[in-house]
Amino acid sequence: MEQKVVILTGASRGIGHATVKRFNAAGWRVITVSRHAFASECPWLSGKVDHVQFDLSDPQTLSAGIEEIRSRLKGGKLHALINNAGISPKNEEGGRLGVLGTDYADWVSVFNVNLFSTALLARHLFDELRAAGGVVINITSIAGSRVHPFAGAAYAASKAALATLTREMAAEFGQYGVRVNAISPGEIATAILSPGTDEIVDHDIPMNRLGRPEEVAETIYFLCTDAASYVNGAEIHVNGGQHV
Ligand SMILES: NC(=O)c1ccc[n+]([C@@H]2O[C@H](COP(=O)([O-])OP(=O)(O)OC[C@H]3O[C@@H](n4cnc5c(N)ncnc54)[C@H](OP(=O)(O)O)[C@@H]3O)[C@@H](O)[C@H]2O)c1
């Protein structure tokens, strides 16, 4: 039986950590990307060997990193690319960065990580995705469709653009048998959350609780299986009803 291959950015913690565990449990080969070395708190078989360390915010390391990934695929198939890494910078007090508080360098790094790297990874790994009839999953956010009390302006704008990019890629890649979808999480119990999220849970989430990273991972996994073979260009909300 052919072993399927997934590449996931930002696997060291949070949603990415839960997702690589899910794919590994299903027997996939998992190749991960993040700035730091393989996280020993997030171990799985071959995890260390298949970790590629580079910074998605730096165009030069991104190019070299993509080459390294391609060399590991050896011209073979890529069944899923999951663009999960994301950054949401805060001000010195840990508060939201609005337009007035965001400098050019922050706009550039947020867009490099949250948006541009996703397009470039898909572009340069397209042959391998096409060979597999693969899937691209972009992780957007509820902050991309409404003003959020903690997510900043650059983060929200990057996630709105990522939803648009998902549609663009779905329209362009569909004819080659490559599906592209987005998952839009709400408030998921990870390090990215800010103090004060409890109030959102009480007032804005019909299910009155945070989501678990594993609940996001299951939806990502579903989209990468044949059970979702006709799902293309969708953005699925995983937020306990926060968007309604
Ligand atoms: N948690 C939520 O409630 C929530 C809600 C909506 C959307 N999301 C989205 O879901 C995704 C995952 O969120 P999370 O909460 O699990 O995030 P997280 O806990 O902050 O983890 C982010 C991951 O991205 C990696 N990363 C960050 N900057 C990077 C860079 N420049 N280059 C390469 N890797 C980088 C980090 O590893 P290193 O530090 O080693 O680089 C880490 O593995 C993000 O796109 C986020 O915007 C999350």
Side-chain angles (χ1 to χ4, degrees):
M1 273 251 294
E2 177 187 52
Q3 186 185 30
K4 292 190 171 179
V5 184
V6 55
I7 292 173
L8 183 141
T9 62
S12 53
R13 50 182 192 265
I15 293 168
H17 170 80
T19 306
V20 293
K21 292 271 196 185
R22 180 67 185 86
F23 279 79
N24 180 247
W28 290 50
R29 177 183 174 196
V30 179
I31 299 175
T32 55
V33 173
S34 61
R35 285 168 303 181
H36 297 99
F38 179 72
S40 51
E41 317 84 64
C42 180
W44 70 92
L45 200 65
S46 312
K48 202 167 184 176
V49 179
D50 272 336
H51 182 66
V52 187
Q53 190 180 342
F54 62 94
D55 185 344
L56 294 163
S57 73
D58 176 342
Q60 259 149 29
T61 61
L62 176 64
S63 291
I66 290 172
E67 276 319 301
E68 172 63 24
I69 291 171
R70 294 198 76 206
S71 75
R72 290 178 186 223
L73 292 173
K74 298 188 172 77
K77 295 179 181 175
L78 175 60
H79 300 83
L81 166 64
I82 304 172
N83 291 306
N84 165 74
I87 53 170
S88 180
K90 308 284 183 219
N91 66 22
E92 277 165 17
E93 290 78 46
R96 168 177 212 279
L97 279 175
V99 173
L100 299 179
T102 306
D103 60 25
Y104 182 66
D106 278 336
W107 279 102
V108 170
S109 64
V110 168
F111 269 71
N112 276 344
V113 176
N114 296 5
L115 184 72
F116 301 149
S117 74
T118 68
L120 293 167
L121 281 162
R123 180 185 186 201
H124 293 293
L125 296 170
F126 185 74
D127 290 345
E128 290 83 354
L129 282 164
R130 184 180 178 179
V135 186
V136 180
I137 307 288
N138 295 323
I139 309 301
T140 58
S141 168
I142 192 161
S145 57
R146 59 176 59 188
V147 175
H148 189 279
F150 307 123
Y155 177 82
S158 73
K159 293 295 186 177
L162 186 56
T164 303
L165 180 64
T166 303
R167 290 198 298 276
E168 288 290 328
M169 286 198 222
E172 191 173 340
F173 298 175
Q175 64 190 305
Y176 303 107
V178 176
R179 297 183 291 114
V180 185
N181 293 293
I183 297 280
S184 175
E187 312 301 325
I188 311 298
T190 68
I192 216 171
L193 293 185
S194 299
T197 304
D198 291 355
E199 254 184 67
I200 301 181
V201 171
D202 291 342
H203 297 113
D204 300 332
I205 302 180
M207 289 180 73
N208 289 133
R209 67 167 176 87
L210 293 175
R212 296 188 301 276
E214 295 75 20
E215 293 176 304
V216 184
E218 279 301 335
T219 314
I220 294 172
Y221 181 72
F222 159 74
L223 285 173
C224 295
T225 64
D226 287 344
S229 56
Y230 201 51
V231 183
N232 188 32
E235 185 177 23
I236 297 188
H237 302 285
V238 184
N239 62 22
Q242 190 178 0
H243 67 292
V244 298

